[in-house]
Amino acid sequence: MRLLSLPYEIICNVFSYLSLRDLLLLERTNKRLQIWVLMEIERRILLNSRYEDWNILIHSGFAVVKPAWFDMQKKKVFYSVPMDPILIKVAHQRRKIHCALSHSSSNGSFLRLYDGVTIIINAGMPVGTTEQVDIQGDWCEIHASLTRIPQPQDDLALSESLSSIPFMYSFRVCKLALPLSTLVCTESKNDPR
């Protein structure tokens, strides 16, 4: 009997018993089942609370991220990041911003993935302009906006006595993208299947 001749409901029921790792292996090996497997992965990610346990810590800001959508073409899960803008003082052209991802599992253990990202800032960026920044790290992708903000009056008064004032920037993370390989890695560490 051919698997594709079965009704869609039966195939989806069979897929619900497979782990995420097995679904990815099936998606890579069988092109006929590829769209159904990707739909099952999307359903599982968007409806299952297991994939909502991601936290992001960037510089001094912390947020719990929620899955927003799954891109079947790029095979990445995009998360919305409800985070307030982070104020960053920069005295040089480059600034290393530390980013930490953590995933808490149902059994209470934490998996921490550290990823240092480098943001290159233009020296001639005028006050009030905003640039879209896409940062590719080892474990994730960050889509953010960087805005140059005016100096507070207190800092300008101190500038007469000090050598130079650092520039003030507002860094706001808009989206976080995790590849499926990161999700499979966390699932295999938390689930002995």
Side-chain angles (χ1 to χ4, degrees):
M1 181 162 78
R2 297 174 51 111
L3 185 62
L4 292 176
S5 64
L6 292 173
Y8 174 72
E9 292 81 13
I10 294 175
I11 294 174
C12 287
N13 194 12
V14 170
F15 286 168
S16 67
Y17 289 101
L18 297 176
S19 68
L20 190 61
R21 170 183 254 158
D22 294 337
L23 285 173
L24 281 178
L25 288 173
L26 184 63
E27 184 266 336
R28 290 181 186 149
T29 56
N30 192 337
K31 293 294 180 185
R32 292 183 179 180
L33 293 175
Q34 187 175 31
I35 190 66
W36 286 356
V37 170
L38 290 174
M39 285 172 41
E40 172 63 23
I41 291 172
E42 178 181 30
R43 184 195 66 78
R44 198 177 286 190
I45 287 171
L46 296 180
L47 296 179
N48 195 348
S49 63
R50 173 185 213 169
Y51 302 103
E52 293 180 358
D53 297 334
W54 284 95
N55 305 321
I56 185 169
L57 174 69
I58 294 180
H59 197 53
S60 61
F62 174 79
V64 177
V65 297
K66 300 286 181 195
W69 74 91
F70 173 66
D71 189 354
M72 290 186 190
Q73 299 273 330
K74 297 178 182 178
K75 296 181 182 138
K76 291 183 181 178
V77 182
F78 288 89
Y79 289 83
S80 63
V81 183
M83 179 183 274
D84 293 332
I86 303 165
L87 293 178
I88 300 172
K89 292 183 179 182
V90 177
H92 304 287
Q93 297 295 326
R94 290 178 176 249
R95 175 71 193 260
K96 185 129 178 151
I97 304 295
H98 292 284
C99 169
L101 290 173
S102 66
H103 180 265
S104 58
S105 66
S106 59
N107 61 6
S109 65
F110 282 96
L111 174 68
R112 289 183 179 85
L113 306 171
Y114 294 100
D115 205 359
V117 294
T118 303
I119 301 170
I120 300 171
I121 298 171
N122 297 332
M125 189 174 173
V127 175
T129 58
T130 301
E131 290 183 1
Q132 296 300 320
V133 181
D134 295 331
I135 304 162
Q136 176 71 42
D138 293 336
W139 298 96
C140 66
E141 248 178 61
I142 297 172
H143 304 281
S145 61
L146 184 70
T147 306
R148 167 100 186 268
I149 57 176
Q151 295 291 96
Q153 293 299 325
D154 297 338
D155 286 351
L156 293 176
L158 287 173
S159 69
E160 296 170 1
S161 62
L162 298 174
S163 60
S164 66
I165 333 173
F167 297 114
M168 296 282 295
Y169 290 91
S170 171
F171 183 72
R172 184 174 186 278
V173 178
C174 305
K175 290 184 288 189
L176 169 74
L178 293 176
L180 284 178
S181 59
T182 303
L183 294 177
V184 168
C185 173
T186 59
E187 183 180 79
S188 64
K189 288 191 185 287
N190 294 327
D191 206 6
R193 264 202 262 189

